[in-house]
Amino acid sequence: MILYLHGFRSSSLSEKSQQLQRAMAAAGREHELAAPDLPDDPQAAMQLAMAHARRLCPSGDMQNLTVIGSSLGGYYATWLKEELNCKAVLINPAVYAVRDLSTQLGHTTKFHSDARFSFTAESVRALARLYRPVLTNMQRYYLLACTGDEVLDWQEMTHRYDGARLTLIQGGDHAFSMFEHYLPAIFDFTRL
């Protein structure tokens, strides 16, 4: 079971989400995937993500759930992994979302539509409430990070997730545009 969480201003229409959806469909496993459009409010986003996790794992046993999160979705995936003890695949994750997104206050639009939304000081406070200072069971994390990430610091990522399975790509970009090439390794991790 896989729950995909997109990043800030993104959606289920992102390239990574679409590639994952196509790969799961090609394997006949589309029913094992949820890739929702997350609300802009972090608390509402986590409520929706938790509802999808429960739908994917109705017995309540989250051992077979893997949350894949990109950028802000990686920050969210970390919170969910610690709450549920599921597995998490983090793709260029936001480590300090409060610091990094405090610069994004105001009105903006989504990347894949003209939908407008407001990112407020309350949004930042909600992100702060989701921060987990201590991470556990590092073997249940898989970090994919690019040294060429132009938005977030890969060294912060590798420090925060020290002890996790790691694929460090020399160069690359924040969008992790080579995502499709790493799907076999991601699927392998989901089966561990």
Side-chain angles (χ1 to χ4, degrees):
M1 302 299 154
I2 296 175
L3 173 58
Y4 178 79
L5 304 178
H6 61 75
F8 185 69
R9 296 181 58 201
S10 194
S11 73
S12 61
L13 297 176
S14 73
E15 190 63 29
K16 288 186 293 295
S17 180
Q18 293 295 303
Q19 289 171 350
L20 181 58
Q21 290 176 55
R22 286 191 298 271
M24 292 292 283
R29 297 177 55 201
E30 59 270 11
H31 62 284
E32 297 177 22
L33 171 69
D37 288 319
L38 297 174
D40 308 313
D41 173 63
Q43 183 175 345
M46 290 302 82
Q47 289 171 348
L48 179 63
M50 196 64 91
H52 279 284
R54 289 186 184 113
R55 182 185 60 77
L56 288 167
C57 302
S59 71
D61 180 8
M62 300 293 172
Q63 294 296 308
N64 293 321
L65 175 67
T66 302
V67 182
I68 301 175
S70 176
S71 192
L72 179 59
Y75 184 83
Y76 290 156
T78 300
W79 183 83
L80 283 165
K81 185 268 175 206
E82 294 300 323
E83 286 290 307
L84 303 174
N85 196 31
C86 58
K87 289 175 266 191
V89 175
L90 311 171
I91 302 160
N92 287 334
V95 171
Y96 301 112
V98 170
R99 178 197 67 199
D100 297 333
L101 290 174
S102 291
T103 63
Q104 302 299 311
L105 295 178
H107 302 289
T108 190
T109 57
K110 300 283 188 173
F111 289 132
H112 305 101
S113 74
D114 293 331
R116 295 186 57 76
F117 71 97
S118 294
F119 193 72
T120 66
E122 179 50 41
S123 303
V124 173
R125 286 190 289 276
L127 286 175
R129 291 189 292 273
L130 296 173
Y131 183 74
R132 300 302 287 262
V134 177
L135 303 180
T136 60
N137 298 324
M138 295 309 294
Q139 72 279 5
R140 296 184 68 76
Y141 283 102
Y142 180 17
L143 171 63
L144 294 101
C146 294
T147 63
D149 188 325
E150 67 281 8
V151 177
L152 300 171
D153 184 342
W154 67 271
Q155 292 173 329
E156 288 181 347
M157 296 172 204
T158 57
H159 178 73
R160 170 93 163 128
Y161 298 99
D162 186 35
R165 180 174 176 178
L166 171 66
T167 298
L168 184 63
I169 292 94
Q170 297 300 312
D173 55 18
H174 183 66
F176 206 86
S177 50
M178 71 294 295
F179 177 70
E180 197 165 27
H181 300 293
Y182 290 91
L183 281 173
I186 291 169
F187 290 148
D188 180 61
F189 178 76
T190 67
R191 290 187 286 271
L192 290 179

